[in-house]
């Protein structure tokens, strides 16, 4: 894995109009419109401030949620939070490429920053097509005549092929922002110079992605041990011939993971000693209390966490690891009764001597909310993009940047 794209250091941005795509998709209270977490905005602050200091006229493209969801809203509140975090005025306009937006872009002065409206208000943004096709989108045609450089800093969305992410690359000079550059370098370096023993902790609800990661890192001998939790653990237990109860089997089938069960059986056959699954799990009893049960005594009740004995076993392996990748929580950590697995695993990682990378999404949110943020070597800003890299898949936005660099 080696990336060859242009970065901010390669160009002079003074008096230039720069379009930057960032990912500030944030939890929003659907009733008040108040942003509940500004982590991603703080992360992108480095690129935005640097461009402003270099004398650029900066135009920001971003999205919030998707049509039909309760937190699908304008970016007006985001501009206020960004302004506060960066101590820099972030102008906002409720337009993407209409006359008002174009006039605002044209009237920008050096060092000024303008945030355009939620790009997903534009229906074409929802279409997943090739970068070449996206370069012909209305969004690109309307904005590109007024832009000197395009910067993609949206690592969290780097696995998506949408106009705002890949459409500008073949039209105007394009480069990676600081977040994109940092994420790719850290993950690439960790995978290429992995220190042994290397442990992957895979859980959460995106079981198909996690099992793809498992297959990749076992085949290329990156991983010494795979510790499974969450839905991934349930699939592995089922694949190992464990009776996990009809309710849990039905949940796996309803999620469309039957193919993953077949794949897991093959992985268990070929890498039996490297895939470590729970010896006990946590369920909720008739009184609504947490009960830990051995895997040969699982009743027909939903599994919500790994059990205490499993937590102890996993902790021993994690403590001896030199490299640790963790993706996905161990259970329903939002419920305090079933947060034990996630909390103890994160605590063990935080106190270990190994180099740790925490995937984005729910596991990153859990690490922050539980106070482990400063004890991790790297918390990724993008769950989907991070897990795609770990699975050995290419990121379409990164490929587009590399192609632009060649051209």
């Amino acid at each position: 894995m080696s990336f060859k794209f242009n970065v901010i250091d390669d160009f002079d941005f003074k008096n230039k109009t720069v379009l930057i795509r960032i990912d500030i998709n944030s939890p929003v209270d659907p009733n008040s419109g108040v942003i509940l977490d500004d982590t991603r905005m703080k992360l992108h602050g480095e690129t935005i401030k640097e461009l402003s200091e270099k004398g650029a006229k900066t135009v920001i493209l971003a999205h919030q949620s998707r049509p039909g969801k309760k937190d699908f809203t304008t970016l007006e509140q985001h501009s206020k939070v960004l302004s506060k975090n960066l101590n820099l005025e972030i102008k906002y306009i409720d337009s993407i490429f209409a006359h008002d937006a174009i006039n605002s872009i044209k009237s920008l002065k050096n060092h000024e920053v303008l945030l355009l409206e939620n790009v997903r208000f534009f229906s074409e943004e929802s279409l997943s097509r090739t970068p070449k096709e996206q370069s012909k989108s209305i969004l690109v045609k309307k904005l590109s005549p007024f832009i000197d450089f395009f910067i993609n800093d949206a690592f969290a969305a780097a696995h998506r092929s949408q106009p705002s992410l890949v459409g500008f690359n073949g039209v105007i000079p394009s480069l990676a922002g600081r977040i994109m550059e940092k994420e790719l370098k850290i993950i690439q370096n960790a995978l290429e110079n992995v220190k042994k023993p290397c442990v992957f902790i895979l859980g959460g609800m995106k079981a198909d992605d996690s099992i793809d990661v498992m297959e990749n890192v076992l085949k290329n001998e990156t991983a010494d041990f795979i510790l499974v939790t969450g839905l991934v653990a349930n699939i592995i237990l089922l694949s190992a011939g464990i009776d996990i109860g009809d309710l849990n089997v039905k949940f796996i089938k309803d999620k469309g993971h039957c193919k993953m069960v077949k794949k897991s059986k093959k992985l268990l056959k070929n890498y039996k000693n490297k895939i470590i699954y729970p010896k006990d799990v946590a369920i909720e009893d008739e009184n609504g209390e947490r009960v830990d049960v051995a895997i040969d005594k699982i009743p027909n009740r939903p599994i919500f966490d790994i059990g205490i004995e499993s937590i102890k076993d996993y902790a021993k392996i994690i403590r001896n690891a030199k490299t640790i990748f963790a993706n996905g929580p161990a259970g329903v950590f939002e419920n305090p009764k079933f947060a034990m697995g996630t909390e103890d695993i994160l605590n063990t990682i935080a106190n270990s001597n190994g180099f740790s990378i925490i995937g984005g999404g729910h596991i990153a949110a859990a690490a922050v909310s539980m106070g482990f943020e400063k004890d991790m070597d790297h918390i990724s800003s993008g769950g989907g993009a991070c897990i795609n890299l770990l699975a050995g898949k290419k990121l379409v936005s990164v490929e587009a940047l590399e192609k632009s660099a060649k051209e």
Side-chain angles (χ1 to χ4, degrees):
M1 190 193 305
S2 181
F3 304 111
K4 295 179 181 178
F5 45 70
N6 292 319
V7 295
I8 289 174
D9 300 317
D10 297 326
F11 299 97
D12 179 10
F13 298 102
K14 191 174 183 180
N15 299 318
K16 301 296 184 182
T17 303
V18 180
L19 178 67
I20 174 174
R21 176 59 157 99
I22 62 176
D23 191 331
I24 49 174
N25 187 30
S26 307
V28 172
D29 186 317
N31 298 314
S32 65
V34 173
I35 291 168
L36 303 174
D37 180 66
D38 60 358
T39 302
R40 283 185 170 178
M41 288 188 243
K42 288 176 180 175
L43 287 171
H44 286 293
E46 180 182 356
T47 304
I48 297 168
K49 286 196 80 169
E50 184 174 356
L51 289 171
S52 175
E53 289 166 359
K54 288 178 180 290
K57 304 167 187 177
T58 306
V59 182
I60 300 173
L61 264 182
H63 75 275
Q64 171 60 42
S65 191
R66 60 181 72 249
K69 292 201 170 186
K70 290 181 179 179
D71 58 349
F72 184 56
T73 184
T74 74
L75 297 185
E76 184 175 8
Q77 180 77 9
H78 295 66
S79 69
K80 294 174 182 177
V81 176
L82 271 172
S83 297
K84 184 179 178 182
N85 282 338
L86 274 60
N87 194 25
L88 178 71
E89 183 188 3
I90 307 295
K91 298 180 179 181
Y92 160 78
I93 187 162
D94 59 351
S95 173
I96 305 170
F97 52 70
H99 290 298
D100 289 347
I102 299 300
N103 288 334
S104 295
I105 292 171
K106 289 164 71 174
S107 63
L108 275 176
K109 296 181 176 62
N110 292 357
H111 311 288
E112 290 186 337
V113 184
L114 172 68
L115 175 63
L116 302 178
E117 185 54 281
N118 185 345
V119 73
R120 286 187 178 169
F121 281 9
F122 173 52
S123 61
E124 206 172 16
E125 178 68 10
S126 300
L127 297 176
S128 183
R129 302 180 294 184
T130 66
K132 188 175 182 179
E133 290 171 324
Q134 301 293 27
S135 69
K136 298 173 183 176
S137 69
I138 295 171
L139 176 74
V140 175
K141 287 180 179 178
K142 288 282 188 179
L143 289 181
S144 57
F146 309 99
I147 305 298
D148 296 302
F149 293 99
F150 171 71
I151 296 179
N152 191 342
D153 207 28
F155 174 75
H159 55 306
R160 304 189 186 282
S161 183
Q162 294 168 336
S164 69
L165 293 160
V166 299
F168 293 95
N169 294 278
V171 181
I172 52 180
S174 304
L175 54 144
R178 294 303 188 197
I179 292 296
M180 181 74 80
E181 181 186 5
K182 179 182 177 183
E183 289 273 11
L184 293 171
K185 281 185 176 178
I186 288 175
I187 296 170
Q188 174 191 353
N189 185 62
L191 288 172
E192 290 183 351
N193 302 290
V194 63
K195 293 182 179 179
K196 301 282 190 168
C198 174
V199 175
F200 279 74
I201 304 148
L202 302 175
M205 293 298 290
K206 294 183 178 179
D208 48 352
D209 291 335
S210 291
I211 291 169
D212 283 344
V213 171
M214 189 186 307
E215 182 179 39
N216 182 54
V217 298
L218 286 171
K219 278 185 176 179
N220 64 26
E221 298 184 345
T222 300
D224 294 293
F225 295 105
I226 306 280
L227 312 181
V228 294
T229 66
L231 182 58
V232 183
N234 292 359
I235 291 173
I236 295 295
L237 287 170
L238 179 62
S239 303
I242 308 296
D243 182 3
I244 61 173
D246 292 341
L247 275 174
N248 294 304
V249 173
K250 184 178 184 300
F251 187 81
I252 290 169
K253 289 180 178 177
D254 290 346
K255 287 289 182 181
H257 291 316
C258 290
K259 287 183 179 178
M260 290 298 118
V261 175
K262 291 181 181 178
K263 182 181 280 190
S264 298
K265 285 181 179 178
K266 290 181 181 178
L267 290 173
L268 282 169
K269 183 180 179 181
N270 294 328
Y271 306 99
K272 187 177 180 181
N273 295 329
K274 291 191 173 186
I275 301 172
I276 313 298
Y277 53 76
K279 61 169 61 169
D280 60 345
V281 296
I283 60 164
E284 193 173 60
D285 68 10
E286 296 84 352
N287 301 314
E289 297 300 319
R290 175 186 174 119
V291 177
D292 289 14
V293 295
I295 56 172
D296 60 349
K297 296 178 181 177
I298 301 173
N300 192 27
R301 288 181 173 276
I303 297 170
F304 291 129
D305 196 8
I306 59 173
I308 292 173
E309 294 305 314
S310 302
I311 292 170
K312 291 177 184 176
D313 288 348
Y314 285 15
K316 288 178 185 176
I317 296 171
I318 294 167
R319 278 195 289 268
N320 291 323
K322 294 289 179 63
T323 308
I324 305 158
F325 293 90
N327 196 88
V332 187
F333 73 95
E334 299 88 348
N335 184 335
K337 288 182 293 188
F338 301 106
M340 187 188 299
T342 302
E343 188 166 3
D344 281 19
I345 284 173
L346 286 172
N347 184 45
T348 306
I349 296 171
N351 288 289
S352 74
N353 294 320
F355 181 84
S356 56
I357 291 183
I358 308 298
H362 288 98
I363 188 71
V368 173
S369 67
M370 292 175 180
F372 299 119
E373 183 178 11
K374 293 180 180 179
D375 299 309
M376 304 301 181
D377 291 293
H378 180 63
I379 297 182
S380 179
S381 63
C386 181
I387 203 167
N388 270 269
L389 277 180
L390 297 178
K393 299 175 183 177
K394 292 184 178 180
L395 303 181
V396 64
S397 289
V398 178
E399 286 186 301
L401 284 173
E402 291 181 316
K403 187 177 180 182
S404 176
K406 286 181 182 177
E407 293 173 350

